[in-house]
Amino acid sequence: MMNVRHFSLIPSLSDALFSERLNRMNGLFGQSADNVSLAASPAYDIRRVDKDRYTLAVSVPGWKESDLAIETVGGQLTISGKKQEQNETENQQGWLHRGINHADFRLSYMVPEHVKVTGATLQDGILSVDLYQEIPESEKPRRIPISHEQTIKNQQTIEHQSA
């Protein structure tokens, strides 16, 4: 069974508000519509590296690079895992207990417009996806200076005298 989670990846408000929103979302996504627990989905962390860079870390112990796929389409980042087919005897051979999840999965994250996936690495069972937020100058906040009324009158007087 494939599990799907949708949520906004990068906070648009403060980190505290994002953290609270993410905790509420995790509660909502604790069960899918058909009441099947999503506990089998890989655990993940989202970390702010600096002002413009983030890392999404997904726990995928026992998965190989060839078993994983990362795609971005229309503002949605999708990470999926599908194990290569193994024959039944190889799958059951020698195991006394199998507690590590090896079920196929699919995680989806809504990515804001100006966030780009810049790379991914798999090391020690952690898939790290690097994200860069590049906000155009035209959309960055600007500080508008406030002039004192006396300054405006002086500028108008000087302009009037020079005409």
Side-chain angles (χ1 to χ4, degrees), residues 87-149:
N87 64 36
E88 193 61 31
T89 57
E90 185 180 302
N91 222 4
Q92 299 299 323
Q93 190 175 17
W95 293 102
L96 300 176
H97 174 73
R98 293 205 67 178
I100 298 174
N101 182 22
H102 293 282
D104 293 349
F105 69 90
R106 180 180 172 96
L107 302 172
S108 292
Y109 305 93
M110 295 307 294
V111 179
E113 182 180 357
H114 302 296
V115 174
K116 295 179 175 82
V117 176
T118 59
T121 56
L122 178 63
Q123 182 177 352
D124 300 330
I126 302 294
L127 175 66
S128 296
V129 180
D130 300 321
L131 305 157
Y132 179 72
Q133 183 177 28
E134 184 175 39
I135 299 174
E137 284 298 320
S138 62
E139 294 187 25
K140 288 183 180 178
R142 289 184 325 151
R143 185 175 183 103
I144 309 299
I146 301 172
S147 299
H148 188 270
E149 189 175 321

Side-chain angles (χ1 to χ4, degrees), residues 9-46:
L9 185 59
I10 306 298
S12 58
L13 300 173
S14 73
D15 287 339
L17 288 175
F18 176 67
S19 188
E20 178 185 322
R21 188 177 332 144
L22 186 58
N23 287 337
R24 280 188 283 164
M25 288 174 140
N26 280 337
L28 290 173
F29 289 119
Q31 293 188 347
S32 66
D34 58 0
N35 258 353
V36 175
S37 173
L38 292 179
S41 293
Y44 60 90
D45 291 335
I46 301 172

Side-chain angles (χ1 to χ4, degrees), residues 27-108:
L28 290 173
F29 289 119
Q31 293 188 347
S32 66
D34 58 0
N35 258 353
V36 175
S37 173
L38 292 179
S41 293
Y44 60 90
D45 291 335
I46 301 172
R47 182 173 67 104
R48 186 178 209 153
V49 177
D50 62 27
K51 184 179 136 207
D52 299 322
R53 293 183 311 130
Y54 298 82
T55 298
L56 169 65
V58 181
S59 177
V60 289
W63 291 80
K64 298 179 208 163
E65 292 170 10
S66 59
D67 298 332
L68 300 168
I70 303 169
E71 295 180 338
T72 57
V73 176
Q76 183 166 324
L77 168 65
T78 302
I79 300 171
S80 57
K82 184 170 176 63
K83 285 288 192 176
Q84 302 298 324
E85 295 295 323
Q86 294 179 330
N87 64 36
E88 193 61 31
T89 57
E90 185 180 302
N91 222 4
Q92 299 299 323
Q93 190 175 17
W95 293 102
L96 300 176
H97 174 73
R98 293 205 67 178
I100 298 174
N101 182 22
H102 293 282
D104 293 349
F105 69 90
R106 180 180 172 96
L107 302 172
S108 292

